[in-house]
Amino acid sequence: MNNEWALLQLDEFIALTSLYQPPPTPGIVFIGDDRNTRGSEEQIVASAQVVEQVLTHVLPLWCQEIAGDTSGRWQQHHQAARRAVVSIHRAAEVAENLGENAPTLNAAGFHPWAWEGARSLWQSGHYREAVRSATVKINAELQNKVGIRSTSETALFQLVFSNDPARGTTLRLRPAGDDGGKTSLSVRRGIVALAEACYGAIRNPASHDEGETAEQVALEQLATLSVLARAVDEATIDRG
């Protein structure tokens, strides 16, 4: 993420949604909170279109974790933006002092077939269903790529990544850099094995088990699906 750009968006939004007390009107007594935002509704709406995406990136659960404020419709956003600014400024410091400063998984960096297929469900806290949705997306993209609808999931991976040559309308997929050598044959087998693991050990439980999947577990599952999605996307088509 471009922190400098993100902070600029957040700072502008914070300024627009800051509340101020307008000068009193002579002869009128107002009971309640008559504070106004410094920006117009039009300005705030335009800024919010970008800021909401920044907030989701920095604080994925901000809508659930930050309570609304009765002082105005934009004050939940305002408080979230202020927290996001602190989070960005002090992220390195917090990581150094509270943990081992280990690398973290950034879901936005996953392959789009994994993350885009899961994002809306993930952001609402439906982690198990988000993972299942990602498996459906990857399967659909593979079917689209090879033009096959009659076969799906593991069986389809076994078919298109087979070492057998393409024949007729049955084409094959070859991993990036595949030269037909021993390493390439091993990679093909590995992709099929990974697909079997993803659909057997990740998709099946996500489709049939009850209860929610822990966020960290679901994130690791999405990362695995991202590896599979990237292998499919980068593979070339062999028509024989």
Side-chain angles (χ1 to χ4, degrees):
M1 183 177 72
N2 184 333
N3 287 349
E4 183 177 351
W5 173 85
L7 287 169
L8 178 61
Q9 308 310 311
L10 292 168
D11 287 340
E12 289 179 352
F13 182 81
I14 290 169
L16 290 172
T17 54
S18 294
L19 298 175
Y20 77 100
Q21 189 78 39
T25 302
I28 297 179
V29 177
F30 185 86
I31 300 177
D33 190 348
D34 62 343
R35 292 178 297 170
N36 297 326
T37 55
R38 294 197 175 276
S40 67
E41 185 71 8
E42 182 179 4
Q43 291 174 311
I44 294 173
V45 168
S47 179
Q49 293 296 107
V50 174
V51 165
E52 286 177 348
Q53 297 179 61
V54 175
L55 291 176
T56 298
H57 187 87
V58 179
L59 307 170
L61 299 179
W62 68 273
C63 285
Q64 293 97 322
E65 293 178 348
I66 299 176
D69 192 323
T70 57
S71 61
R73 63 169 292 202
W74 294 109
Q75 293 313 296
Q76 182 188 29
H77 286 66
H78 181 88
Q79 295 302 323
R82 292 173 68 91
R83 284 184 56 180
V85 168
V86 174
S87 179
I88 293 171
H89 276 304
R90 306 192 68 180
E93 174 191 349
V94 171
E96 181 178 351
N97 287 281
L98 295 185
E100 298 178 357
N101 204 22
T104 57
L105 289 176
N106 178 8
F110 291 168
H111 191 279
W113 295 350
W115 178 234
E116 294 302 325
R119 181 170 60 176
S120 61
L121 288 162
W122 188 278
Q123 291 171 350
S124 60
H126 296 89
Y127 305 123
R128 179 172 62 83
E129 187 60 22
V131 170
R132 191 199 68 81
S133 179
T135 66
V136 172
K137 173 70 171 175
I138 294 169
N139 179 71
E141 292 293 348
L142 176 56
Q143 289 182 322
N144 289 338
K145 184 162 186 166
V146 298
I148 295 176
R149 298 291 183 273
S150 58
T151 307
S152 64
E153 299 183 352
T154 301
L156 182 56
F157 276 88
Q158 291 170 339
L159 175 66
V160 299
F161 282 99
S162 167
N163 290 331
D164 295 336
R167 60 180 182 275
T169 58
T170 304
L171 50 78
R172 306 295 181 201
L173 290 184
R174 297 298 177 236
D178 191 303
D179 60 3
K182 292 178 63 176
T183 298
S184 295
L185 297 179
S186 177
V187 172
R188 296 178 199 172
R189 291 194 301 271
I191 292 174
V192 173
L194 178 59
E196 184 176 1
C198 286
Y199 285 97
I202 295 179
R203 198 277 292 167
N204 283 349
S207 298
H208 303 297
D209 288 355
E210 296 182 359
E212 190 53 80
T213 302
E215 182 178 6
Q216 179 62 31
V217 172
L219 184 62
E220 293 168 4
Q221 291 174 341
L222 273 186
T224 305
L225 292 170
S226 177
V227 174
L228 184 64
R230 204 174 301 279
V232 173
D233 191 22
E234 294 179 354
T236 57
I237 297 175
D238 178 6
R239 302 184 184 276

